Amino acid sequence: MRDKPRGGAGIGPRRLGRVISSGGSFGETLKNIADGNDVEGLDASRYTGKTVDQFAQAIAEHVGGDSPDADIICVAVQEAIEQALDLDTDFDPSSLTDDNIAQIMIEYLSQSIFQIVVNDAGNSWSRSKDVVNTARCEAEILDLTREHVEQSFAAQVQQTGINLGSEAVEKYMRTAAQHVWETWERYDD
């Protein structure tokens, strides 16, 4: 049995406010790095030639800041970069194509929603004696979330073209989060 995110489509996505605003900043920061532009508070050139993991940690700290949601944001940033870029290679800003950045944004939002769902489930997961089933359920929730976020992003980009500015990324994310919560509301156990 899968737990649904609390609050429904009217409330659930609003709980992502800081995650979404940080996601807008994250997308724009990645685009600036890819374009060779300076990013205030982050010297990306220090990470060129270092591991992708070191870059992921640095940008996670930069984007997460000291907000109450910093932990969720930092984990989501690192997971997103790890999913889209090869951790076994050195960081190269030229690897940040628009397609890769869009994929990173999709993964970032998916990971953020997933963390909130798992946190909401709280004790439900820890009471399960079937660790294998719990892991399977968590993987299914993440995969389903990722699928719906990706579909929403693709539909929006197809309609408007890709824009990786902060406001555009935030709009993509708000719309995708709304789509995920609406899907969960329709989901029948």
Side-chain angles (χ1 to χ4, degrees):
M1 180 168 149
R2 297 179 184 153
D3 288 307
K4 296 178 189 175
R6 293 189 303 199
I11 296 171
R14 284 188 272 171
R15 294 171 52 220
L16 290 165
R18 284 193 176 105
V19 167
I20 288 173
S21 63
S22 292
S25 173
F26 181 32
E28 191 167 292
T29 297
L30 289 173
K31 181 64 174 159
N32 280 327
I33 291 168
D35 291 346
N37 299 328
D38 290 336
V39 175
E40 187 177 331
L42 178 68
D43 181 3
S45 66
R46 290 183 47 206
Y47 299 97
T48 300
K50 302 234 173 137
T51 67
V52 168
D53 187 48
Q54 288 172 305
F55 171 71
Q57 289 175 23
I59 199 165
E61 289 174 21
H62 174 74
V63 172
D66 61 358
S67 80
D69 294 324
D71 289 343
I72 288 173
I73 293 165
C74 287
V75 168
V77 165
Q78 289 180 314
E79 290 290 328
I81 290 173
E82 289 176 11
Q83 289 292 320
L85 302 178
D86 185 357
L87 286 180
D88 294 329
T89 62
D90 292 337
F91 174 66
D92 177 2
S94 68
S95 66
L96 295 173
T97 64
D98 285 357
D99 288 341
N100 277 354
I101 295 171
Q103 196 58 47
I104 290 169
M105 294 297 92
I106 290 166
E107 189 64 28
Y108 166 81
L109 183 59
S110 300
Q111 290 288 338
S112 298
I113 292 171
F114 171 72
Q115 287 180 71
I116 288 170
V117 170
V118 171
N119 288 341
D120 282 356
N123 292 333
S124 298
W125 297 117
S126 62
R127 285 187 288 228
S128 175
K129 293 181 174 141
D130 187 348
V131 177
V132 172
N133 190 47
T134 297
R136 183 186 55 76
C137 287
E138 286 182 357
E140 287 177 10
I141 290 170
L142 179 56
D143 287 344
L144 184 62
T145 300
R146 187 180 289 130
E147 178 182 326
H148 289 291
V149 170
E150 193 165 354
Q151 288 172 359
S152 179
F153 263 71
Q156 292 177 76
V157 167
Q158 185 175 16
Q159 285 180 340
T160 63
I162 193 161
N163 180 343
L164 296 170
S166 183
E167 288 181 23
V169 170
E170 287 180 35
K171 183 178 183 284
Y172 294 152
M173 287 189 180
R174 260 189 241 91
T175 301
Q178 183 75 28
H179 182 217
V180 169
W181 256 268
E182 288 170 357
T183 300
W184 280 106
E185 283 183 340
R186 291 190 309 265
Y187 184 74
D188 187 327
D189 294 351

